[in-house]
Amino acid sequence: RLTNPLPRAVTAREMVRRFWPYAAPRRGWMLLALALSVVGPLLMTVEVWLFKIVVDEVLLPRDFCPLRGIAAAYIGLTRVQETFDGSDRMLSTWLTQRFLVDVRRGVLDHLQRLPLDFLTRSRLGDVLTRVAGDVSAIESFLVSGSTRAVSYAVELVVFTVALFWIQPLLAAVSLVVT
């Protein structure tokens, strides 16, 4: 009699329910990371708006007087972007690494409670793959993947709104073409 060698597929809901306790102690930091990931697209939109001002108020009328103020605003915006991007990267890295450590510690604690005959029957490579590879995949899905998904969704919404705010006709044409 043949048995199915493939493991049962786990739903996203079941995965979140099972591994949320490892992320829950840092949910406040996760919310801050999500907020920082929202700031990035907003600042990029302001950057695009500054380029619009350069074209509309400096290049087309050939009046270079406002260029100094716009350049100063752009330099200040770049510094603010660097601060938020660096903070977002550091916080995301810290959250990711803490989650990985906690889950791996949980897996190793579980392995130590298993009967010795399980460890003698299992191949060492399989156990190590579970500890290293599978835990990283879970982290990619739950922590960094969810943050990236929210960030990309916010980028899409912010950029679409900015397109229509800056030039509605061009925005409509570009979205139709896309």
Side-chain angles (χ1 to χ4, degrees), residues 53-54 57-67 70:
I53 291 175
V54 167
E57 296 181 14
V58 175
L59 297 178
L60 289 179
R62 296 180 189 210
D63 178 21
F64 293 98
C65 292
L67 189 59
I70 296 170

Side-chain angles (χ1 to χ4, degrees), residues 153-167:
V154 168
E155 277 185 27
L156 184 65
V157 170
V158 167
F159 291 158
T160 303
V161 168
L163 273 172
F164 280 100
W165 180 63
I166 291 173
Q167 190 63 260

